[in-house]
């Protein structure tokens, strides 16, 4: 009986997603044929130099498609008119840029060497402008970029000169590592729907590393989005050169034919701590300058295949040996198969179906010690849930990451780790479906997942559903709705539902207003104010001045069954002011930031529970090193105590204490980089000292160590606590698509030692071989008893149709 009910829930969920998928396809699909088959290595001449529009070489016979573009799309260009024939760039008096893409006229091989004839025939885009350190000045090193295309792919080539090539810094080859962008690097972002909000981001460096990401709403970056693309880089005598190839079928864009896209480039020159863009980019945009698609150039002259739909099938096969002595599973061998299927419903909407989903290749969570009374946040790492997650962001925040992780008090209505994980243990995912993407001014996400039962895990088979839709309004604002439902709660007491609306408004480049209202419902829990949450948030942000204010409420019975809540039952009023001058008379210092912040948390009865004041000074040096000094004063009025360890706790009562911290960030140009922090002061009637280091040691371009150590010494009236968390990640990178990594961890509070060793080989773009070994031990010394051990080999293969 139960199996039939479980199957019924699963079938009903899949059917619902399928019906909505078909409905969306019927509503939004355009009459466009599928794109051409797999691209070949070389590209053939279409018509000779006439297609390039180069003066003196048949410029009067500009390609017919480019003539149509100038007449039909000129009025849509958000910038100066298209460049004249034979020019790559046109610039307006307001700083806006229009860039031309050129159709390939000869074969090209993506090898990083700019020796193909096209580079002599086609003008390059130049005139890059600094954002840092001297806003508006010309880039200090010669930077030239070409944008080319053929029937199958978009090509981007760059010639990046260096006056001092011996200072060029490139030390990361692992795919999707943010370290790629910390040294000398080159980046491109593509706004393929020309909506000035969303795009596809690509980073690389002189080692040919690959980093791809999906950007939503100009500031939410999902670095776990992956697609198929190629890059080759070459070190040359005076810098480095590179070539990028991105198949059109790896992107989403409007119906085929002449296109208008947004595009921007960023170059980082590390030894100067400089970054420059194709378009003038204010320092106020800070690190998000590239994601500011409203500031991007307009790309013209591009003709894409008819439609950006595709179908992908990615089956997997897995074999494993598991040893869990406590459960009498001794060297147990097993194997399994499963698959993910992806297809384009329309040019902007993608449907995914997963069957017998497996995440054995995912790296272990980083262990944490909780020395507070609030919930601990662990980020999502599973690939299926990471792709397309941006659309589920709510209230101006991402679906994962959240600008400081789970340390924020703002609740998360949809957090995918609620699916397939119970009490830290994996629960099998039988299957599911998802629809996500864009249809005109709407972004939407729809997900339905069915989980099963697992041996030794107290979790019932559960159906999970989530729906999210946003509607773009004005130039950079949106409003939306969200709903989630699970038919069995985590404690098995019944179903749980959530409904919410939000609005995110950007009336100017410097003002942002975020707001939402959410409510939850469960059997036996009265709906109303106690089961609701709302937010009002304002921010004014410039390079010199940053002012923010917010009011956040979480009711006592507000319980997002598919979300995450760090702190419950409070009303928070808070705000901050940051003043950040750039002293011109101190050569070694680029900027100094002074920040004052105050937060007040009230209980439902109006009495104060927590009040906190913080003052921080941050000094940003020209070398990219940073120095932070902060002082915090806290008042706590606890109605209930909480535990610091199994033997020591903090009793209820009134407390007032202060603490001071000093933190140094050593720039990534150093052999030993990262954050070193020392904090000292009072703590709930006692004292607390903390020393921590999180960084990276580089031995060469292939081998690195990333130590992470946190030591806490706490003395309170109830007793003393010493808490230690140590992590060491070692990585050897074979190539940009292959690496061997190990993560070793020790947690003194949990008396746990763990090790996770992973080998990944992306033997073909999108297809992987994983070999993973993991072990956990516990005991007073963290090594005494073996809890579990596993060896997993997983093989995946991507087929594109």
């Amino acid at each position: 009986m139960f199996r039939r009910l479980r199957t019924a829930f699963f079938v009903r969920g899949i059917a619902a997603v399928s019906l909505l998928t078909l409905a969306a396809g019927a509503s939004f699909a355009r009459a466009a044929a599928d794109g051409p088959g797999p691209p070949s290595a070389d590209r053939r001449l279409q018509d000779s130099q006439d297609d390039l529009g180069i003066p003196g070489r048949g410029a009067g016979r500009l390609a017919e498609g480019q003539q149509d573009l100038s007449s039909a799309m000129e009025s849509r260009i958000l910038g100066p008119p298209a460049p004249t024939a034979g020019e790559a760039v046109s610039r307006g008096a307001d700083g806006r840029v229009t860039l031309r893409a050129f159709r390939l006229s000869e074969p090209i091989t993506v090898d990083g060497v700019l020796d193909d004839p096209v580079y002599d025939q086609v003008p390059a885009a130049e005139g890059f402008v600094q954002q840092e350190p001297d806003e508006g000045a010309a880039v200090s090193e010669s930077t030239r970029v070409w944008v080319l295309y053929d029937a199958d792919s978009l090509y981007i080539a760059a010639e990046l000169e260096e006056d001092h090539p011996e200072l060029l810094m490139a030390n990361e080859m692992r795919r999707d590592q943010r370290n790629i962008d910390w040294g000398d690097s080159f980046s491109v972002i593509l706004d393929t729907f020309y909506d000035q909000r969303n795009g596809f981001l690509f980073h690389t460096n002189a080692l040919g590393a690959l980093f791809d990401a999906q950007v939503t709403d100009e500031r939410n970056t999902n670095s776990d989005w992956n697609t198929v693309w190629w890059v080759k880089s070459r070190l040359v005598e005076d810098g480095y050169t590179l070539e990028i190839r991105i198949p059109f079928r790896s992107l989403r864009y409007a119906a085929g034919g002449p296109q208008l896209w947004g595009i921007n480039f960023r170059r980082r020159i590390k030894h100067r701590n400089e970054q420059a863009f194709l378009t003038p980019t204010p320092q106020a945009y800070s690190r998000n300058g590239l994601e500011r698609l409203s500031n991007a150039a307009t790309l013209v002259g591009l003709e894409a295949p008819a439609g950006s739909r595709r179908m992908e099938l990615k089956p997997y096969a897995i074999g494993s040996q598991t040893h869990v002595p406590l459960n009498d599973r001794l060297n147990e061998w097993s194997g399994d198969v499963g698959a993910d299927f992806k297809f384009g419903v329309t040019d902007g909407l993608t449907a995914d179906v997963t069957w017998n989903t497996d995440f054995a290749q995912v790296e272990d969570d980083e262990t944490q010690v909780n020395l507070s009374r609030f919930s601990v946040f662990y980020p999502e790492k599973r690939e299926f849930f990471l792709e397309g997650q941006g659309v589920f962001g709510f209230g101006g925040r991402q679906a994962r990451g959240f600008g400081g992780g789970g340390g924020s008090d703002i609740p998360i209505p949809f957090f995918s780790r609620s699916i397939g994980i119970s009490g830290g243990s994996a629960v099998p995912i039988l299957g599911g479906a998802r629809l996500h993407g864009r249809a005109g001014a709407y972004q939407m996400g729809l997900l339905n997942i069915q989980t099963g039962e697992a041996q030794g895990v107290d979790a019932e088979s559960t159906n999970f559903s989530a729906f999210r839709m946003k509607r773009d309004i004005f130039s950079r604002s949106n409003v939306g709705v969200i709903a989630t439902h699970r038919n069995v709660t985590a404690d098995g007491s019944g179903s749980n539902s959530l409904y919410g609306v939000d609005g995110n408004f950007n009336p100017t480049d410097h003002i942002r207003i975020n707001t939402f209202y959410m409510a939850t419902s469960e059997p036996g829990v009265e709906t109303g104010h106690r089961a609701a949450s709302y937010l009002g948030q304002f921010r004014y942000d410039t390079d010199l001045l940053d002012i923010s204010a917010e009011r956040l409420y979480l009711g006592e019975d507000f319980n997002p069954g598919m979300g995450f809540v760090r702190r419950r039952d409070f009303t928070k009023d808070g705000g901050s002011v940051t003043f950040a001058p750039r002293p011109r008379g101190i050569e070694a210092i680029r900027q100094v930031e002074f920040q004052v912040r105050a937060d007040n948390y009230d209980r439902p009865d109006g009495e104060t529970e927590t009040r906190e004041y913080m003052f921080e000074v941050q000094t940003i040096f020209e070398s990219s090193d940073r120095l932070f000094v902060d002082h915090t004063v806290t008042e706590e009025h606890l109605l209930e105590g909480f535990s610091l360890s199994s033997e020591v706790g903090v009793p209820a009562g009134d407390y007032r204490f202060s603490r001071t911290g000093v933190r140094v960030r050593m720039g990534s140009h150093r052999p030993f980089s990262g954050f070193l922090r020392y904090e000292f002061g009072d703590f709930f009637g006692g004292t607390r000292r903390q020393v921590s280091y999180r960084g990276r040691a580089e031995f060469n371009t292939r081998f690195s160590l990333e130590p992470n150590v946190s030591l806490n010494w706490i003395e309170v009236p109830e007793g003393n606590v010493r808490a230690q968390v140590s992590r060491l990640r070692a990585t050897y990178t074979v190539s940009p698509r292959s690496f061997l990594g190990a993560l070793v961890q020790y947690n003194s509070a949990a008396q746990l030692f763990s090790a996770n060793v992973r080998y990944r080989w992306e033997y073909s773009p999108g297809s992987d071989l994983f070999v993973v070994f993991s072990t956990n031990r516990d005991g007073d010394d963290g090594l005494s008893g073996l809890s579990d051990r596993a060896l997993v080999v997983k093989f995946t293969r991507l087929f594109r149709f």
Side-chain angles (χ1 to χ4, degrees):
M1 176 66 178
F2 176 77
R3 185 178 299 275
R4 289 197 300 271
L5 288 174
R6 183 180 67 182
T7 303
F9 273 118
F10 177 56
V11 172
R12 185 175 63 182
I14 295 296
V17 174
S18 301
L19 286 173
L20 283 170
T21 297
L22 294 173
S27 300
F28 301 115
R30 297 183 174 94
D34 288 339
S40 57
D42 293 339
R43 309 298 173 222
R44 290 297 169 188
L45 180 64
Q46 289 264 329
D47 195 30
S48 82
Q49 296 166 350
D50 295 343
D51 285 338
L52 300 175
I54 299 177
R57 298 181 181 177
R61 295 171 56 198
L62 189 64
E64 182 179 351
Q66 294 180 354
Q67 289 177 345
D68 291 341
L69 172 69
S70 61
S71 61
M73 294 189 173
E74 194 79 34
S75 62
R76 291 183 53 210
I77 296 176
L78 301 173
T84 58
E87 297 293 329
V89 176
S90 62
R91 296 181 180 271
D94 59 355
R96 306 288 304 188
V97 176
T98 301
L99 174 68
R100 182 182 295 281
F102 293 92
R103 193 177 189 92
L104 276 170
S105 64
E106 293 185 2
I108 183 173
T109 301
V110 178
D111 56 7
V113 180
L114 306 188
D115 58 357
D116 298 285
V118 68
Y119 299 115
D120 295 325
Q121 300 168 348
V122 170
E126 301 182 77
F128 276 59
V129 180
Q130 289 186 39
Q131 181 199 37
E132 294 283 356
D134 188 4
E135 180 182 329
V139 63
S140 63
E141 308 279 6
S142 175
T143 303
R144 307 173 71 211
V145 176
W146 292 262
V147 180
L148 313 168
Y149 71 98
D150 61 17
D152 299 320
S153 300
L154 179 74
Y155 299 84
I156 296 164
E159 182 181 72
L160 309 167
E161 294 186 3
E162 286 275 2
D163 288 342
H164 299 281
E166 72 278 3
L167 299 179
L168 192 148
M169 193 187 88
N171 49 21
E172 182 63 84
M173 283 194 293
R174 282 180 297 167
R175 177 155 190 174
D176 291 335
Q177 295 299 307
R178 289 197 174 274
N179 301 346
I180 293 170
D181 195 38
W182 291 356
D184 286 85
S185 63
F186 179 81
S187 307
V188 58
I189 192 167
L190 302 172
D191 173 10
T192 56
F193 284 95
Y194 202 48
D195 60 12
Q196 297 194 294
R197 304 165 185 261
N198 309 286
F200 302 101
L201 176 64
F202 302 88
H203 296 313
T204 190
N205 59 16
L207 301 177
L210 299 100
F211 179 104
D212 43 16
Q214 195 170 27
V215 175
T216 56
D217 297 326
E218 290 197 297
R219 59 181 179 270
N220 298 330
T221 302
N222 176 14
S223 59
D224 297 290
W225 174 82
N226 287 315
T227 193
V228 174
W229 61 295
W230 289 264
V231 60
K232 291 290 185 180
S233 299
R234 291 294 178 98
L235 291 170
V236 294
E237 184 177 351
D238 56 351
Y240 66 106
T241 58
L242 60 89
E243 291 177 306
I244 297 171
R245 173 186 159 213
I246 307 171
F248 284 114
R249 63 172 55 199
S250 294
L251 303 170
R252 286 284 179 266
Y253 51 87
Q259 301 281 310
L260 280 183
W261 288 6
I263 190 170
N264 209 351
F265 306 98
R266 181 184 66 198
R267 181 184 180 185
R268 288 191 189 274
I269 304 173
K270 189 59 183 179
H271 71 274
R272 298 180 185 273
N273 197 14
E274 175 183 334
Q275 57 184 20
F277 294 79
L278 177 66
T279 64
T281 302
Q283 291 174 331
Y285 292 172
S286 187
R287 294 184 296 268
N288 297 322
L290 191 61
E291 288 84 349
R292 285 281 192 136
L293 288 159
S294 56
N295 188 59
T298 298
L299 182 66
V300 301
L302 179 68
E303 294 190 42
S308 58
R309 307 180 202 179
R310 70 179 189 269
M311 290 193 295
E312 293 182 355
L313 176 64
K314 192 171 184 177
Y316 79 83
I318 187 171
S320 64
Q321 184 199 61
T322 304
H323 185 70
V324 188
L326 296 179
N327 293 346
D328 294 326
R329 297 176 62 189
L330 306 178
N331 296 319
E332 180 180 292
W333 288 90
S334 63
D336 211 345
V337 295
D340 294 335
F341 179 63
K342 183 193 304 290
F343 63 97
V345 180
T346 70
D347 293 329
L349 288 173
T350 301
D352 302 290
V353 177
T354 182
W355 164 66
N356 201 24
T357 317
D358 178 83
F359 305 109
Q361 79 279 8
V362 176
E363 184 183 64
D364 288 348
D365 287 324
E366 294 188 354
T367 185
Q368 301 182 47
V369 171
N370 189 4
L371 298 174
S372 73
R373 61 188 189 277
F374 309 120
S375 300
V376 175
F377 179 86
Y378 290 94
E380 178 64 87
K381 293 186 176 183
R382 298 168 297 175
E383 180 180 359
F384 177 81
F385 293 109
L386 292 172
E387 183 178 358
Q389 66 174 339
V391 71
F392 288 100
F394 186 79
R397 304 174 71 206
Q398 289 178 271
R400 184 182 77 96
F402 314 109
S408 172
D409 296 311
I410 299 176
I412 304 167
F414 174 70
F415 181 44
S416 55
R417 276 185 70 108
S418 63
I419 305 172
I421 299 176
S422 178
S425 299
V427 175
I429 293 179
L430 303 179
R434 176 180 58 195
L435 177 70
H436 61 98
R438 169 172 289 276
Y442 293 88
Q443 294 183 66
M444 64 179 300
L446 178 64
L447 177 139
N448 185 270
I449 297 288
Q450 180 69 43
T451 62
E453 298 175 347
Q455 181 181 350
V457 179
D458 184 18
E460 297 184 34
S461 178
T462 306
N463 184 263
F464 298 83
S465 299
F467 171 75
R468 173 72 163 132
M469 180 172 284
K470 294 189 289 187
R471 209 285 186 191
D472 295 340
I473 59 174
F474 309 122
S475 60
R476 296 172 53 228
S477 304
N478 61 68
V479 294
V481 297
I482 193 169
T484 68
H485 178 79
R486 58 185 296 171
N487 68 323
V488 180
T489 58
D491 60 7
S493 60
S495 63
N496 176 281
S497 299
L498 174 144
Y499 313 93
V501 295
D502 70 329
N504 307 290
F505 307 99
N506 296 270
T508 73
D509 284 345
H510 303 294
I511 295 177
R512 186 165 74 241
I513 301 170
N514 299 322
T515 182
F516 68 68
Y517 178 87
M518 293 185 287
T520 61
S521 64
E522 292 180 316
V525 178
E526 183 178 350
T527 59
H529 188 65
R530 288 164 58 94
S533 175
Y534 63 78
L535 170 74
Q537 195 175 61
F538 169 87
R539 184 174 183 183
Y540 173 78
D541 183 14
T542 68
D543 183 57
L544 180 65
L545 188 64
D546 187 333
I547 302 173
S548 68
E550 73 173 25
R551 182 177 180 87
L552 172 65
Y553 167 78
L554 266 80
E556 180 180 3
D557 296 328
F558 178 74
N559 181 30
M562 291 178 60
F564 176 83
V565 173
R566 176 178 177 266
R567 182 173 185 163
R568 299 178 182 273
D569 195 20
F570 67 89
T571 300
K572 174 186 177 182
D573 295 292
S576 68
V577 176
T578 302
F579 178 64
R582 293 175 177 261
R584 301 301 181 186
I586 307 177
E587 185 176 344
I589 296 178
R590 176 168 296 184
Q591 193 170 23
V592 181
E593 296 184 359
F594 303 90
Q595 184 183 68
V596 178
R597 180 170 186 87
D599 293 304
N600 185 83
Y601 298 80
D602 287 341
R603 292 191 289 266
D605 60 6
E607 295 296 322
T608 298
E609 181 177 77
T610 303
R611 183 175 290 143
E612 191 167 76
Y613 306 96
M614 188 271 289
F615 175 74
E616 180 182 77
V617 179
Q618 177 186 176
T619 304
I620 305 172
F621 296 95
E622 288 291 345
S623 63
S624 79
D625 297 327
R626 299 189 181 209
L627 173 65
F628 305 77
V629 179
D630 61 80
H631 183 74
T632 304
V633 178
T634 304
E635 294 181 18
E636 292 278 10
H637 305 279
L638 303 183
L639 297 181
E640 297 180 359
F642 66 96
S643 298
L644 295 174
S645 69
S646 58
E647 300 177 351
V648 179
V650 174
D654 297 332
Y655 300 90
R656 180 182 174 91
F657 52 91
S658 62
R659 60 189 185 275
T660 301
V662 179
R663 181 165 47 130
V664 177
R665 196 197 83 168
M666 295 160 282
S668 57
H669 63 290
R670 301 188 181 279
F672 291 88
S673 60
F675 288 92
L676 176 64
R677 179 176 176 82
Y678 176 64
E679 182 178 313
F680 61 93
D682 304 326
F683 186 75
F684 289 100
T687 61
R688 175 181 176 180
R689 290 177 296 128
Q690 179 185 22
V691 177
S692 63
Y693 172 71
R694 183 182 186 120
R696 175 182 171 93
E698 297 167 353
F699 296 90
N700 53 48
T701 59
R702 297 183 183 273
F703 182 65
S704 66
L705 294 176
E706 297 176 22
N708 187 339
V709 179
S710 177
L711 303 174
N712 289 269
W713 295 271
I714 298 175
E715 298 179 2
V716 293
E718 295 283 315
N720 300 335
V721 176
R722 179 179 178 181
Q724 173 186 347
V725 172
S726 302
R727 287 189 290 268
L728 178 64
R729 179 180 282 106
T731 305
Y732 181 81
T733 306
V734 181
S735 74
R737 298 186 187 270
S738 177
F739 76 91
L740 175 66
L743 175 63
V744 180
Q745 305 185 86
Y746 174 67
N747 185 328
S748 64
Q751 296 183 353
L752 176 67
F753 172 87
S754 67
N756 181 258
V757 182
R758 302 164 63 237
Y759 171 72
R760 178 185 179 183
W761 175 33
E762 190 179 3
Y763 60 89
S764 179
S767 302
D768 298 281
L769 172 67
F770 296 95
V771 181
V772 182
F773 172 79
S774 60
T775 181
N776 291 284
R777 293 179 175 271
D778 56 20
D780 293 340
D781 58 0
L783 297 171
S784 301
L786 176 65
S787 299
D788 59 77
R789 182 183 65 228
L791 175 66
V792 176
V793 178
K794 183 176 181 179
F795 177 86
T796 71
R797 175 65 178 173
L798 176 65
F799 299 94
R800 308 183 98 189
F801 308 98

